[in-house]
Amino acid sequence: MTTLALARSWRPKTFPELLGQDHVVKALTHALDQGRLHHAWLFTGTRGVGKTTIARILAKALNCIGPDGQGKMTSQPCGKCAACLEIDAGRYVDYIEMDAASNRGVDEMAQLLEKASYAPSNGRYKVYMIDEVHMLTNHAFNAMLKTLEEPPEHVKFILATTDPQKIPVTILSRCLQFNLKQMPVPLIVEHLQTVLAAEKVESEIGALRVLAKAAQGSMRDALSLTDQAIAYAAGTVTQESVRNMLGTLDDAYLIQVLDALANKNGAALVAVAQEMGERSMSFSLALQDMASLIQKIASAQVVPESVLDDWPEAAEIRRLATIFTKEEAQLFYQIAITSRPDLSLAPDEQTGFSMALLRMLAFRPGSAGSGPSQSAGSVTTAAAPTANTSKSASATPSAAKPAAANPASAKPAVSAAPGTAPKAAASASPATASSSDRPDWHSLMRALPVRGLVQQLAHQTELQDWVDSAQGVKATVITSLPQLASVDSVGRLGEALSVHYGKKVQIVIVEGAVEKTVAKIDAQVQQEKRQNAEERIAADPFVQQLEREFGAKVVSGSVRPA
């Protein structure tokens, strides 16, 4: 004997059994109790939220005659009379369900409307339920306009759709419209517990949460997935079996990813992605679950009480909320949701997922661009090492006195280039700092043929020390944005300077406060131009006349220099 699917055997048969649609149930029951019935209803909502179910319950309520055959229209159909039993069985002659996807033309609509003029055979009302009504053609909509506006007294229309935007406003204005809500996860979990208890199937609460999340607000999808999970588990429906069935990610993997981000451990991130690939997990769902988890972390940072104690990951969410800053949580969330569409463009999904994790690591606020192991205040040296590099470095004075006004803000650290000894950038010989060969750094940075990140780095630096020797030039520069000073960017800037001077130029980057850079000078010049333009506009006689006569005002920030 074939078992009936859970979605069919557990379909609600009365209004009290209907879950999650209290606003619709309240309106319909009051209308039935008071006898104030409209002739056409439109139910909208995503799949599996109860549109067809409500239509059948409403049809039973309109035609119920009670167990004794003497009953009247009621909001509580008995479920025992001939009308109720036949509607539940799908064979009631006066309840017609029509699929607009396969009967969408004007001819089918004309046949339906022609039959509507005849009185019902057995029932009190003849009820037409048109599912996916948005699939009808424009001619079919036009054909039903008049009948839908003034149908015979014995006819009721129930329309259902998942896409109400495609329905003409002329149809919408003739119907009472009810928007059905998506089912929340806790409500689905509670209903699945009731269903499985009645079906005598053991389950874990974690497994039901995974099924409820996968259903995405659809109770029918949740029941169908539960049917599949029962068959897959062949026993107790466990969280592990459900995750394996759906290919979803265990929260433990997400916690590992976030811990690796907190520790700036790129190797751990790659290892987690590799393990997920070996288990054939869905990387698209992984990014979706990660975005959901990060959203909970961001909420916990702002509203700590939003974390519910019954969440399995509640303790981890609270812990991670204290580790990451609010800016980091927002950045990780943005990267997670924007990386999902990019998976189809990647060589494979695992590569795309790995790059998304590495992108979170690379763009984490405060991280230097060269990698997670490099501290924010490190000194970066970029120049191809040669046999004379160490010798020239040892012959060079330890450091030069910075030309910046705030030398104490510079942070010395270890050189990032192999073969170069670490240098302190706190002091220097006055003779070296005032060398006659010291270039005009700002003009030099403007003249270099560099673009992109290298140009951004060049425009955010100021020269601290310039040592010209027979082996080459060693330039020590300060920047307040060490994240721009990746090994590649500094190396390309050094190559451009080497080509400009015709000899090797070695660059040492030191983090510190910078008063004057090309970027700051350009911004100051632009600000002065904007102020001059605003003053000229304010002094213009025509503008002043407009302000006097019409009360006009110049929008702040709208004036741009020519």
Side-chain angles (χ1 to χ4, degrees):
M1 179 178 177
T2 304
T3 303
L4 199 62
L6 292 178
R8 295 180 60 189
S9 61
W10 283 86
R11 182 192 291 272
K13 293 180 171 56
T14 61
F15 284 125
E17 294 178 7
L18 198 65
L19 299 176
Q21 310 299 344
D22 294 341
H23 62 297
V24 180
V25 170
K26 184 177 181 180
L28 294 179
T29 53
H30 287 176
L32 289 166
D33 291 339
Q34 298 173 10
R36 299 180 63 87
L37 293 176
H38 203 267
H39 56 268
W41 296 270
L42 173 63
F43 299 125
T44 67
T46 187
R47 76 271 179 265
V49 294
K51 298 185 296 294
T52 304
T53 298
I54 293 177
R56 292 184 180 181
I57 297 175
L58 183 56
K60 289 193 294 183
L62 292 171
N63 289 293
C64 179
I65 56 176
D68 57 357
Q70 303 299 320
K72 298 182 180 180
M73 183 177 62
T74 175
S75 61
Q76 299 177 355
C78 66
K80 298 178 181 179
C81 66
C84 292
L85 294 175
E86 290 179 8
I87 289 176
D88 286 336
R91 59 174 184 268
Y92 192 62
V93 69
D94 291 321
Y95 174 66
I96 301 96
E97 287 190 6
M98 183 179 115
D99 178 18
S102 54
N103 299 276
R104 59 194 306 264
V106 65
D107 294 336
E108 291 86 348
M109 184 56 60
Q111 293 177 8
L112 181 147
L113 299 176
E114 182 180 353
K115 296 176 182 178
S117 59
Y118 297 103
S121 301
N122 299 325
R124 192 178 293 116
Y125 292 100
K126 182 177 287 188
V127 181
Y128 288 94
M129 193 279 178
I130 305 178
D131 199 8
E132 298 300 339
V133 69
H134 67 274
M135 300 292 288
L136 292 177
T137 63
N138 289 332
H139 293 298
F141 277 126
N142 292 333
M144 69 182 298
L145 281 178
K146 191 61 179 176
T147 305
L148 188 64
E149 183 177 9
E150 297 178 359
E153 292 184 0
H154 59 268
V155 172
K156 302 293 182 184
F157 285 98
I158 302 177
L159 312 180
T161 179
T162 55
D163 195 356
Q165 289 80 12
K166 294 183 178 179
I167 300 179
V169 292
T170 51
I171 297 293
L172 296 176
S173 65
R174 289 165 166 80
C175 303
L176 290 184
Q177 183 173 346
F178 294 94
N179 299 315
L180 276 65
K181 302 176 182 177
Q182 288 188 322
M183 303 292 176
V185 170
L187 182 62
I188 295 179
V189 171
E190 181 181 354
H191 186 58
L192 292 182
Q193 286 180 303
T194 302
V195 170
L196 292 180
E199 296 288 334
K200 298 180 180 180
V201 177
E202 296 182 359
S203 63
E204 295 179 356
I205 187 66
L208 302 186
R209 287 196 183 97
V210 175
L211 291 171
K213 289 175 62 178
Q216 297 182 341
S218 170
M219 187 65 77
R220 183 178 63 219
D221 287 7
L223 291 171
S224 298
L225 289 173
T226 303
D227 254 334
Q228 184 178 351
I230 294 173
Y232 183 89
T236 303
V237 179
T238 63
Q239 183 174 351
E240 182 180 0
S241 64
V242 170
R243 289 193 181 277
N244 291 336
M245 179 190 77
L246 298 176
T248 56
L249 188 66
D250 189 355
D251 288 340
Y253 284 98
L254 300 179
I255 301 301
Q256 291 178 28
V257 167
L258 294 177
D259 282 336
L261 288 172
N263 298 325
K264 300 182 180 179
N265 191 343
L269 290 176
V270 175
V272 172
Q274 181 68 27
E275 184 176 354
M276 290 171 55
E278 292 173 356
R279 297 187 61 180
S280 300
M281 292 184 173
S282 170
F283 291 102
S284 178
L285 291 177
L287 287 174
Q288 176 181 321
D289 292 343
M290 177 173 290
S292 178
L293 180 59
I294 295 172
Q295 184 272 333
K296 294 178 181 177
I297 293 173
S299 297
Q301 292 174 334
V302 180
V303 187
E305 57 270 19
S306 64
V307 181
L308 303 181
D309 293 332
D310 60 347
W311 290 354
E313 69 278 13
E316 295 294 344
I317 290 176
R318 294 189 178 100
R319 178 179 66 85
L320 292 170
T322 61
I323 294 177
F324 294 112
T325 65
K326 296 178 182 178
E327 292 78 8
E328 289 171 338
Q330 294 294 330
L331 177 65
F332 296 160
Y333 176 82
Q334 189 67 21
I335 293 176
I337 62 175
T338 55
S339 296
R340 287 188 68 195
D342 292 345
L343 291 180
S344 60
L345 304 177
D348 55 77
E349 284 200 351
Q350 181 175 335
T351 301
F353 181 75
S354 300
M355 284 302 298
L357 300 185
L358 296 177
R359 195 177 300 128
M360 294 179 185
L361 186 62
F363 289 99
R364 181 180 177 185
S367 298
S370 57
S373 61
Q374 181 179 342
S375 64
S378 63
V379 177
T380 304
T381 304
T386 62
N388 297 328
T389 302
S390 299
K391 182 177 179 181
S392 63
S394 62
T396 305
S398 61
K401 186 174 182 179
N406 187 14
S409 62
K411 299 181 181 179
V414 180
S415 171
T420 305
K423 296 293 178 180
S427 62
S429 135
T432 303
S434 59
S435 172
S436 59
D437 295 334
R438 187 185 184 93
D440 182 350
W441 186 255
H442 294 161
S443 300
L444 180 60
M445 292 300 99
R446 294 180 189 276
L448 285 181
V450 292
R451 295 290 182 271
L453 292 177
V454 183
Q455 185 183 49
Q456 293 296 321
L457 172 63
H459 286 189
Q460 295 290 348
T461 58
E462 184 176 0
L463 182 62
Q464 180 187 26
D465 187 25
W466 182 272
V467 180
D468 194 348
S469 62
Q471 290 79 15
V473 177
K474 181 179 179 181
T476 303
V477 296
I478 306 176
T479 180
S480 59
L481 299 174
Q483 56 267 35
L484 296 176
S486 65
V487 173
D488 179 64
S489 297
V490 178
R492 290 166 62 188
L493 182 59
E495 291 174 2
L497 287 171
S498 299
V499 172
H500 181 80
Y501 282 99
K503 56 184 175 181
K504 178 186 161 186
V505 178
Q506 182 186 20
I507 298 179
V508 177
I509 299 290
V510 178
E511 180 186 358
V514 184
E515 287 189 353
K516 292 184 179 181
T517 62
V518 174
K520 288 184 178 181
I521 293 174
D522 289 347
Q524 184 177 0
V525 171
Q526 188 68 16
Q527 179 65 20
E528 292 176 356
K529 289 182 178 180
R530 185 181 296 109
Q531 290 178 354
N532 292 336
E534 290 177 350
E535 291 173 0
R536 293 179 61 185
I537 288 293
D540 185 89
F542 180 70
V543 174
Q544 293 177 349
Q545 183 181 0
L546 291 176
E547 292 176 341
R548 287 193 307 269
E549 297 182 2
F550 300 100
K553 292 183 179 180
V554 178
V555 178
S556 178
S558 63
V559 178
R560 297 287 185 271

